[in-house]
Amino acid sequence: MTMQIAESVSLSAPDARARAHAAAAQNNLRTEPRAVRITIIALAMTFLSVFVVLPLVVVFAQAFSKGILAYLAALADPEALSAIKLTLVVAAISVGLNLVFGLVAAWAIAKFEFRGKTFLITLIDLPFSVSPVISGLVFVLLFGAQGYFGSWLRDHDIQILFAVPGIALATTFVTFPFVARALIPLMQEQGTQEEEAAVSLGASGLQTFFRVTLPNIKWGVLYGVLLCNARAMGEFGAVSVVSGHIRGETNTMPLLVEILYNEYQFVAAFAIASLLAMLALITLIAKTVLERHLDEGHDRRDH
Amino acid sequence: MGLTLSWLSIIILIPLAGLFLKSLELSPEQFWNILSSRRTLNALRVSFGLAFAAACVNLVMGSIIVWALVRYHFPGRRLFDAIVDVPFALPTAVAGVALTALFAEKGWLGAPLAAAGIKVAFTPVGIFVAMIFIGIPFVVRTVQPVLQDLDPEIEEAAGSLGASRWQTIIRVILPSLGPALLTGLALAFARAVGEYGSVIFIAGNLPNVSEIAPLLIVIRLSEFRYADATAIAVVMLIVSFVIIFAVNRLQRWAQSRIPAR
């Protein structure tokens, strides 16, 4: 754009006018009449406002509908505090596990060729498209009283279902694809040249990974962890099936929202919901920042 | 490599195999009886039917949103662009209670709609609305990068060869967006079929009318009717596996069709 202006300034007047006409004509070929443009923009803005913005606003409006004191009292409730603590613990476990796995899986898929790759990627993606309820169900079938490992677990007095391990497992299952999915395209694009150079210069496998691979993908790792964490803290369906809803013990924040809501404690329910909504908003802002970093890395490699 | 496969099998394969093994304990006759019972059929019909309808709405509205975000400049464009991801990031239970409060008879949108004689919350329409909410980012985010990368010269060529703007959009732009549109539709559909959290609050959960399949699984589990829960789950799982596999093939095909630039 600036180049065009600079060019037209240096040209003689009639020439410039001809050029401007040509440019305008070209623009016309790629855009619509003003009325159509305005309709499309209005449709898009209305749709997003009604379906996305309003629900967000409702959460905060309901949470503060009885004033800020009622809001704070709802959050200071022991049940709320234990739900917040459990949510943080579960998120830490599943993000940690999926971080390690995501790195290894992305590495294997991006840097090596092998048969059945599409199938493997499909498997990794599966938790994205499986109903969260089914994700919970599979663990009930494995570890429940009538499940495959149920009697063995009972004999050894190990509690998985209706306890923290079950919630962590179900959450790990549901958040499985995030880190791997964020890294696969990034690592594929980078290819294997840098690693091959490092190895041929005598670096060990681990050295290569920490000094060459990891610095190249650090923003991608953060990106995956961010999305993984948001889903882990907000997961509802899968956790609902395996948690057993023991108050003060196995209720995560989303489960507590449901219980309070069904008991008509709307202020309390929306107070917890508002914390989760804030988590979502912070995640989105952080995501936008990270995407900018990822794009910059992309541009650097292109030039 | 070995680590990938073993971790993958511990977390994904073993639980899924457990599900299929459990369903094999049923005779085909039992399996069929569970699936053909009136309540199961209705739940599957509600889930798949409304999910498809919602995905179609998302396809149309998603395309309009993408077009506005990519092609036009308007105040708040970047903000709206970021807002598209809210349904991804907002926990489903939060979305569920928020949509219910919004569309309940005394809610901000529910009240005027009720005055017009339209009841949304606690009816199948509510399920439809919740499914539209959770599906919208899938279409936008799959189509947006493709429209951004579309070569402007093709459009200009079509235009300067005398095609009307409408012809250019239908004959030139739409076919290039085809795979992305299909992928977005499939992803939104898959998500809506299995959706639980954002739907159950607004649905009303009336058996045979507004009861979704995932909820029926939960109900069967709480009744300790594991066989019923498993049979419904297997059907839904196979459908989602097929969809995701098709999407991955579609992506590969689309990539091979467009030479890398």
Side-chain angles (χ1 to χ4, degrees):
Chain A
M1 197 63 207
T2 40
M3 249 181 53
Q4 262 183 349
I5 294 169
E7 245 179 285
S8 61
V9 167
S10 66
L11 290 169
S12 60
D15 242 14
R17 208 174 306 137
R19 282 220 164 196
H21 268 296
Q26 276 213 330
N27 267 338
N28 273 339
L29 292 179
R30 289 196 66 221
T31 192
E32 293 75 34
R34 197 180 151 79
V36 177
R37 282 207 307 265
I38 290 173
T39 316
I40 287 180
I41 292 171
L43 269 176
M45 285 171 105
T46 314
F47 185 84
L48 285 175
S49 304
V50 168
F51 278 94
V52 185
V53 180
L54 269 183
L56 258 183
V57 179
V58 161
V59 172
F60 291 98
Q62 294 274 347
F64 289 105
S65 60
K66 295 263 161 63
I68 189 145
L69 284 178
Y71 176 81
L72 291 176
L75 292 184
D77 190 83
E79 235 180 295
L81 291 177
S82 85
I84 293 171
K85 208 180 110 199
L86 179 62
T87 301
L88 292 176
V89 169
V90 168
I93 296 172
S94 45
V95 168
L97 287 176
N98 281 334
L99 173 61
V100 174
F101 164 76
L103 277 169
V104 177
W107 172 279
I109 286 173
K111 312 265 167 171
F112 301 97
E113 276 305 324
F114 52 91
R115 281 171 61 92
K117 211 168 176 176
T118 310
F119 182 71
L120 188 68
I121 297 174
T122 303
L123 268 187
I124 291 178
D125 277 345
L126 204 57
F128 268 159
S129 62
V130 167
S131 173
V133 168
I134 297 179
S135 313
L137 170 73
V138 294
F139 291 103
V140 174
L141 293 180
L142 283 185
F143 303 122
Q146 301 168 19
Y148 290 100
F149 304 115
S151 53
W152 186 87
L153 288 171
R154 199 171 46 240
D155 293 345
H156 292 77
D157 210 20
I158 303 172
Q159 185 81 27
I160 290 190
L161 225 53
F162 313 134
V164 178
I167 299 176
L169 260 180
T171 308
T172 308
F173 181 95
V174 171
T175 54
F176 198 74
F178 284 101
V179 179
R181 263 289 163 193
L183 292 181
I184 290 170
L186 204 62
M187 288 172 98
Q188 264 172 346
E189 192 183 313
Q190 278 163 354
T192 49
Q193 285 178 350
E194 288 183 35
E195 277 91 356
E196 276 161 14
V199 171
S200 68
L201 290 172
S204 74
L206 273 181
Q207 275 177 325
T208 312
F209 178 78
F210 281 106
R211 301 251 178 102
V212 179
T213 310
L214 203 56
N216 272 336
I217 56 169
K218 59 175 189 273
W219 296 116
V221 172
L222 269 177
Y223 187 80
V225 164
L226 182 78
L227 297 186
C228 182
N229 176 63
R231 181 70 196 268
M233 290 191 172
E235 179 49 32
F236 175 70
V239 171
S240 165
V241 171
V242 297
S243 101
H245 302 278
I246 305 166
R247 301 196 82 147
E249 272 183 53
T250 62
N251 270 338
T252 60
M253 289 163 75
L255 295 181
L256 190 60
V257 170
E258 182 196 21
I259 290 177
L260 293 170
Y261 187 85
N262 287 338
E263 289 174 348
Y264 302 104
Q265 300 193 42
F266 292 128
V267 170
F270 279 102
I272 306 282
S274 75
L275 288 186
L276 289 168
M278 273 190 274
L279 167 78
L281 291 177
I282 293 169
T283 303
L284 284 186
I285 295 167
K287 179 173 165 283
T288 315
V289 174
L290 281 179
E291 270 165 2
R292 208 161 297 158
H293 275 291
L294 282 167
D295 280 350
E296 269 170 27
H298 192 95
D299 289 344
R300 250 207 323 278
R301 270 191 306 282
D302 272 0
H303 297 304
Chain B
M1 217 26 241
L3 194 60
T4 314
L5 289 178
S6 48
W7 179 239
L8 196 69
S9 41
I10 290 170
I11 291 286
I12 306 251
L13 276 179
I14 291 180
L16 289 179
L19 183 70
F20 279 102
L21 272 179
K22 190 84 189 171
S23 73
L24 287 180
E25 287 173 13
L26 297 165
S27 71
E29 207 176 323
Q30 281 173 309
F31 195 79
W32 181 246
N33 281 340
I34 293 168
L35 287 182
S36 59
S37 83
R38 183 160 164 261
R39 193 167 171 189
T40 313
L41 276 182
N42 278 324
L44 289 172
R45 193 177 48 93
V46 167
S47 274
F48 283 97
L50 288 176
F52 186 70
C56 290
V57 171
N58 281 333
L59 182 69
V60 175
M61 290 313 298
S63 310
I64 291 176
I65 292 170
V66 167
W67 196 267
L69 289 177
V70 174
R71 287 300 173 88
Y72 303 145
H73 289 272
F74 54 92
R77 187 178 64 91
R78 293 179 68 102
L79 187 68
F80 276 100
D81 195 354
I83 278 172
V84 169
D85 279 329
V86 166
F88 266 152
L90 196 67
T92 54
V94 178
V97 293
L99 287 170
T100 314
L102 194 61
F103 285 98
E105 251 171 88
K106 286 181 184 148
W108 295 347
L109 294 177
L113 284 171
I118 304 168
K119 209 167 168 297
V120 177
F122 316 122
T123 70
V125 185
I127 304 178
F128 180 58
V129 166
M131 285 174 167
I132 293 176
F133 169 83
I134 46 138
I136 197 66
F138 289 90
V139 176
V140 175
R141 291 299 181 235
T142 36
V143 180
Q144 196 176 22
V146 184
L147 184 62
Q148 262 161 0
D149 285 352
L150 206 64
D151 195 344
E153 280 174 23
I154 306 173
E155 265 172 75
E156 279 157 16
S160 57
L161 288 172
S164 74
R165 185 65 193 151
W166 188 239
Q167 279 174 324
T168 310
I169 289 174
I170 297 287
R171 300 249 181 102
V172 178
I173 299 177
L174 217 52
S176 337
L177 297 182
L181 286 168
L182 269 179
T183 305
L185 178 80
L187 290 176
F189 174 68
R191 175 71 200 267
V193 164
E195 182 54 25
Y196 177 69
S198 57
V199 173
I200 54 160
F201 294 96
I202 202 172
N205 304 328
L206 206 64
N208 295 319
V209 179
S210 55
E211 185 176 68
I212 52 167
L215 178 68
L216 189 57
I217 295 179
V218 172
I219 290 174
R220 291 302 186 224
L221 267 181
S222 65
E223 296 168 345
F224 300 104
R225 290 169 66 172
Y226 288 172
D228 294 57
T230 310
I232 304 168
V234 164
V235 172
M236 298 188 69
L237 194 64
I238 291 173
V239 172
S240 44
F241 194 79
V242 168
I243 293 175
I244 286 300
F245 196 71
V247 163
N248 279 335
R249 293 300 287 267
L250 203 65
Q251 293 285 2
R252 286 205 155 189
W253 174 68
Q255 269 168 16
S256 66
R257 214 173 59 140
I258 304 160
R261 252 176 289 146

